[in-house]
C-alpha cells in the first residue's frame, strides 16, 4: 500500500515536499518512484529511488530542483521540490515495483512499476 500526500498550491519559485508512505512490503528492497500527469498530458516519470542499493534517478526536467529521499525508519519516500515552475503543475503519484505486468504498469529509471498510490495535486501559480 502506498499513500501519497503533501500536494497543494504554491507560487512559482516556491517549494513543496511530497510524501509517499509505504506499508505491507519490504520497503527498502523495492524501487519507489514519483510520476506525474499534467493536465492534457501523458504520465511521466519524475524521480525514483531504491534504498537497498542507494540509487536515485531524475528526469531531466527536474534535475537540480527536485530531490528524492528515502527514510527507511518511517517507510516513507519524500520528494522535495524546490524552484517550482508552472509547468510542474500536475497530479503526482508514487509507485513501486510489482511481480506482474498489467495495463497500468509503467517504466522509469530502469524499473517497472505495477503498484500505484492515489495522486496528490500540485498546482504552481505564475
Amino acid at each position: 500500500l502506498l499513500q501519497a500526500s503533501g500536494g497543494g498550491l504554491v507560487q512559482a519559485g516556491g517549494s513543496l515536499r511530497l510524501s509517499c508512505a509505504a506499508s505491507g512490503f519490504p520497503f527498502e528492497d523495492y524501487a519507489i518512484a514519483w510520476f506525474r500527469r499534467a493536465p492534457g498530458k501523458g504520465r511521466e516519470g519524475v524521480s525514483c529511488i531504491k534504498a537497498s542499493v542507494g540509487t536515485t534517478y531524475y528526469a531531466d526536467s527536474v534535475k537540480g530542483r527536485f530531490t528524492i529521499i528515502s527514510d527507511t525508519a518511517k517507510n516513507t519516500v519524500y520528494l522535495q521540490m524546490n524552484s517550482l515552475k508552472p509547468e510542474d503543475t500536475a497530479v503526482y503519484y508514487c509507485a513501486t515495483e510489482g511481480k506482474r505486468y498489467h495495463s497500468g504498469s509503467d517504466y522509469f529509471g530502469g524499473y517497472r512499476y505495477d503498484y500505484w498510490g492515489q495522486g496528490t495535486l500540485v498546482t504552481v501559480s505564475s
Side-chain angles (χ1 to χ4, degrees):
L1 180 65
L2 300 173
Q3 183 77 25
S5 62
L9 174 64
V10 63
Q11 289 188 330
S15 298
L16 278 176
R17 189 178 76 163
L18 304 183
S19 300
C20 177
S23 61
F25 63 98
F27 169 81
E28 62 274 13
D29 293 334
Y30 287 75
I32 294 182
W34 286 97
F35 286 78
R36 67 186 181 186
R37 187 188 297 272
K41 295 187 178 180
R43 186 171 61 193
E44 65 169 339
V46 174
S47 183
C48 67
I49 188 168
K50 189 163 186 175
S52 62
V53 295
T55 56
T56 59
Y57 188 82
Y58 296 92
D60 287 343
S61 59
V62 306
K63 279 181 183 176
R65 300 189 298 121
F66 291 10
T67 303
I68 191 166
I69 302 164
S70 177
D71 185 337
T72 55
K74 295 183 178 180
N75 275 17
T76 300
V77 167
Y78 301 99
L79 185 68
Q80 179 65 45
M81 305 186 296
N82 298 329
S83 302
L84 283 162
K85 305 175 181 180
E87 51 264 43
D88 294 317
T89 294
V91 177
Y92 285 71
Y93 301 88
C94 59
T96 192
E97 300 176 270
K99 297 188 182 301
R100 181 175 296 181
Y101 173 86
H102 57 82
S103 60
S105 297
D106 210 335
Y107 296 85
F108 182 72
Y111 299 98
R112 190 189 77 213
Y113 303 91
D114 303 316
Y115 292 116
W116 298 81
Q118 91 293 356
T120 186
L121 176 62
V122 172
T123 303
V124 184
S125 62
S126 56

